[in-house]
Amino acid sequence: MTPAEQRVRTLLDIVGLKVDVGELSSFARDYRTMRDQADEVHRTGADGIARDISTPSAFKTPGAAEPTRPRTTARTIRDTASALRDGTTSAVTLTSDVLARIDRLDSELGAYVSTFRDAALEAADRADRDLAAGRDRGPLHGIPLAVKDVIAAIEGPTRANSLVAPRHWRWDGDATVVARLREAGAIIVGKTTTNEFALGLNDPDTGFPMPRNAWAADRYAGGSSSGAAIAVASGMALGGLGTDTAGSIRHPSALNGVTGLKTTLGRVPSAGTVPLSPSLDTVGPVARSAWDCALLFEVIAGHDPNDAGSSRRPVPRCLDALDGVVRGLRIGWPKHYFFGVGNVADRVRTRVTEALSALRDAGADVVEVSLPNADMARVASHIVLLTEAFAYHRDDLVAHWAEYGRYVRGLLAKGALYGAADYVQAKKVAAAFHREATEAMRECDVLITPTMPTGARFLEETDPAMMDRWSSASFTSQWNLTGHPACAVPVGFDGAGMPVSMQIIGRPFDEATILRVADAYQRLTDVHLAAPAVPGG
C-alpha cells in the first residue's frame, strides 16, 4: 500500500467506510489533486492573494465547418397559453401530445424516471373544464410540466435516481414548489432524471435511465437536472423544475439549448426537496424562454413557513420588467478568467461575445470588471459541496455502501477526505469572492460570461469520477457559493452543431434584471426557439 493509499485508508476508516482495493487506489490518485487545491484555498483564505490554478483539459476540437443538424421551432409556454385561451388547443391535447413524445423519444434520451399518465390526463381534463367555465388560474393553467426526481410530487416516490432511501429525508405529498405549480393550474406529467442524489453520474447497474443530449444521443446531457433540460429541449415538457447546487440547472440547460434560471439562495423554498449541500442548494425553472422562466419563477418564489432558509423578501412581478429595453443598463465583462482560461472553446467565446455585442448595439453599456478570485471560488465551492453532501449521507453511506451507485459513492466518500479546517477556509474564500462580486456589481447591473467552456462532449469523454471539475475551468459554481442568481441563455451553436450558452449573473434577489436582459436578447434573435428535429415531429 502506497503512502497516499494509507493516508486515504486512515481517513475513511475514521468515519467507518470500508472500500475495496480498486476504489482505494482511485481515491488515492485523486486525493493528491484535491489536497493541492485545498492547500491553495488555505493560502488564499489566509492572505487574500488571488490564484488561478485551473489546468485546462483537452477535448476533441470540432471541424471548422458547422455540421447541419435538423432543427425545428419550439413552442413556448407563453404562446401555448394564448392558444389554450383562443381555443386552438386544449390541455388534454397538449398533455396527450407530450405523453406521446415521451413514448416515442424517451427510450433513447432518458429524460424521465417516471410518468404520471392517468393523473396528468385527469388534471388536463379538469383544466379544460375550468377554462370553459371561466375559472382561469393564470398562464400556467393547463400547461404540461416536469419535475426533477429530487422534488416531491404526490403521484410517486422521490428516488433521486438512487436505490438508497436516505433516512434523514421524509416528505408526504407535494413539495412546496410543486403545490404552487398545481395551484396555478399546471399539469405535472412526470419526474425527470437526475444525477444520483444530484451529484454523481448515474450507474447503469442501478437500473435508472441514462440521460442523453436532446441534440445528439451520443453526447453528454449535463447534470444534475439532466432530464428537465432534455424534456424541454425535445418537447417532452413545456417547462420543468430543477435544482442547482453547482450549476445543475444551468449546465444541462446550456448543453441542451434551453433557458434555465438559478435563483438567489433562499428565494425559492426547498421544502420537500432532497438536499445535497444546504448552503448551496437552490430550486429553479427550466423552460424555452426567459419569459417562460419568469412566469415559473413568479409562481414558485416566495416565503414558505415550512422552510427555515426561505427568504421573507417580497417577490417582484418579473414579467412586468420584461420590456425588451436594455438601453442604459450596464453589463459587466469579467474577461480575465471567464473568457481567458485556455479551455474556453473559440466558438463559445465567439458566440458569447456576439451576444454581448448585440446587447451593446441595443443600448447597453459593456464594461470590463475584475473578479480575481473566480478560480479559487470554483475550488472552494467543491469543498463546501462535498463536505456538506458527505455529512448528510455519512450514516447511509456506511450502512449501504454497495447500494449507492459506484460514481456517487466515490464522490461522497471524497467528502470525508476534507477536514474542518478545509471547510472553514473554503467559507473564507466564499466571503472574499462575495466581496469581489459585490464590488463588481457596483459598476454594473449584471455580469455576462459563458455558461460552459465548451459545447456538449461525447459521452466517452465524460469523466465518471467527475475529477474534471478539479482540473478544468467552471463558470457556474462560484454563484452558488455566493448565492447570486444566474441564468443560462442559448446564444447559438458550436462547430459540432451543439448548443452554446451565455450566463447572466445578477445581484442577490434581482432575478428581474437578469430575466429582463435575457428576454431582451431573445427578442433580438430566435436561437432560443431552435429545437432538435425528432422522428414524428
Side-chain angles (χ1 to χ4, degrees):
M1 186 177 294
T2 67
E5 289 173 341
Q6 184 60 59
R7 173 64 172 162
V8 170
R9 168 67 76 189
T10 299
L11 291 171
L12 296 179
D13 282 347
I14 289 170
V15 297
L17 286 176
K18 308 296 183 184
V19 302
D20 64 33
V21 174
E23 287 177 303
L24 180 64
S25 177
S26 173
F27 293 165
R29 287 195 303 272
D30 296 340
Y31 179 66
R32 186 66 266 162
T33 299
M34 295 169 62
R35 190 67 259 156
D36 287 345
Q37 296 201 353
D39 290 345
E40 292 293 342
V41 165
H42 277 264
R43 284 187 278 273
T44 302
D47 60 29
I49 298 173
R51 293 173 170 85
D52 286 339
I53 59 176
S54 285
T55 304
S57 300
F59 304 122
K60 293 180 181 178
T61 302
E66 184 168 310
T68 300
R69 292 186 186 274
R71 301 176 189 173
T72 187
T73 301
R75 57 188 175 187
T76 64
I77 294 175
R78 185 180 191 178
D79 292 340
T80 304
S82 296
L84 277 167
R85 282 151 187 80
D86 66 21
T88 56
T89 191
S90 69
V92 168
T93 298
L94 287 171
T95 304
S96 298
D97 287 349
V98 163
L99 291 169
R101 290 177 79 86
I102 293 171
D103 290 341
R104 192 164 67 249
L105 303 175
D106 201 46
S107 60
E108 180 178 22
L109 295 181
Y112 282 87
V113 67
S114 58
T115 52
F116 310 139
R117 183 177 303 274
D118 292 343
L121 289 170
E122 288 174 10
D125 182 61
R126 286 195 302 273
D128 284 333
R129 286 187 277 110
D130 283 346
L131 282 176
R135 295 186 292 270
D136 189 339
R137 301 187 187 186
L140 283 182
H141 191 127
I143 300 295
L145 303 176
V147 176
K148 181 178 180 177
D149 189 35
V150 296
I151 303 172
I154 198 168
E155 289 91 345
T158 302
R159 305 281 299 276
N161 276 45
S162 182
L163 298 176
V164 177
R167 70 184 73 184
H168 305 296
W169 189 82
R170 294 289 183 275
W171 194 267
D172 295 323
D174 288 332
T176 299
V177 288
V178 174
R180 290 177 177 179
L181 290 178
R182 290 197 209 274
E183 187 177 349
I187 313 300
I188 309 301
V189 297
K191 291 285 202 75
T192 53
T193 50
T194 169
N195 288 11
E196 187 172 357
F197 286 115
L199 179 62
L201 292 184
N202 289 348
D203 183 345
D205 293 341
T206 62
F208 287 95
M210 297 300 294
R212 295 172 178 270
N213 195 287
W215 287 86
D218 61 350
R219 300 267 179 164
Y220 183 42
S224 64
S225 303
S226 317
I230 299 166
V232 172
S234 60
M236 290 190 281
L238 271 69
L241 293 187
T243 60
D244 193 312
T245 305
S248 292
I249 286 174
R250 291 159 289 159
H251 183 195
S253 294
L255 298 189
N256 287 277
V258 297
T259 306
L261 176 66
K262 176 235 177 282
T263 57
T264 304
L265 183 67
R267 174 64 102 175
V268 175
S270 60
T273 301
V274 179
L276 173 58
S277 175
S279 74
L280 308 177
D281 292 342
T282 59
V283 179
V286 177
R288 179 56 60 181
S289 70
W291 195 98
D292 291 356
C293 281
L295 171 63
L296 289 162
F297 170 74
E298 283 188 5
V299 169
I300 63 175
H303 178 67
D304 174 18
N306 294 313
D307 182 354
S310 174
S311 172
R312 293 182 178 272
R313 293 183 62 150
V315 180
R317 281 277 301 169
C318 288
L319 291 174
D320 292 344
L322 307 189
D323 57 8
V325 177
V326 292
R327 184 168 300 280
L329 284 179
R330 295 171 299 170
I331 297 172
W333 177 41
K335 177 182 177 182
H336 166 66
Y337 175 74
F338 293 95
F339 288 82
V341 174
N343 68 342
V344 179
D346 289 342
R347 294 281 182 126
V348 173
R349 187 185 295 107
T350 297
R351 296 291 182 258
V352 177
T353 302
E354 289 170 348
L356 274 168
S357 296
L359 291 166
R360 183 191 290 113
D361 292 344
D365 296 322
V366 178
V367 296
E368 186 171 349
V369 297
S370 176
L371 293 169
N373 275 301
D375 200 16
M376 291 313 307
R378 167 187 67 89
V379 178
S381 74
H382 297 324
I383 293 174
V384 171
L385 190 160
L386 288 185
T387 303
E388 292 185 359
F390 172 72
Y392 182 79
H393 284 274
R394 172 178 166 165
D395 294 343
D396 287 326
L397 198 63
V398 171
H400 303 287
W401 176 263
E403 295 170 46
Y404 281 87
R406 61 183 180 268
Y407 304 130
V408 75
R409 73 188 182 212
L411 280 167
L412 290 170
K414 284 169 186 168
L417 305 182
Y418 292 119
D422 299 326
Y423 184 82
V424 169
Q425 291 299 95
K427 286 292 191 177
K428 289 183 69 174
V429 170
F433 186 69
H434 193 283
R435 289 192 295 272
E436 285 179 13
T438 299
E439 186 63 30
M441 288 290 188
R442 288 197 180 99
E443 302 178 37
C444 55
D445 299 291
V446 297
L447 307 174
I448 287 183
T449 74
T451 307
M452 296 295 297
T454 69
R457 306 176 217 160
F458 289 104
L459 288 170
E460 64 266 22
E461 293 179 294
T462 304
D463 175 13
M466 293 194 173
M467 281 304 293
D468 54 0
R469 293 187 181 187
W470 278 262
S471 62
S472 62
S474 171
F475 302 153
T476 57
S477 59
Q478 295 90 342
W479 312 110
N480 297 85
L481 194 68
T482 62
H484 285 69
C487 188
V489 179
V491 292
F493 296 85
D494 67 9
M498 300 302 292
V500 171
S501 174
M502 72 174 168
Q503 179 179 218
I504 306 174
I505 303 113
R507 299 185 182 102
F509 299 99
D510 193 15
E511 286 85 356
T513 300
I514 291 176
L515 293 165
R516 176 185 172 188
V517 174
D519 174 71
Y521 173 74
Q522 291 179 342
R523 296 183 190 214
L524 298 173
T525 173
D526 61 359
V527 67
H528 65 290
L529 299 177
V534 297

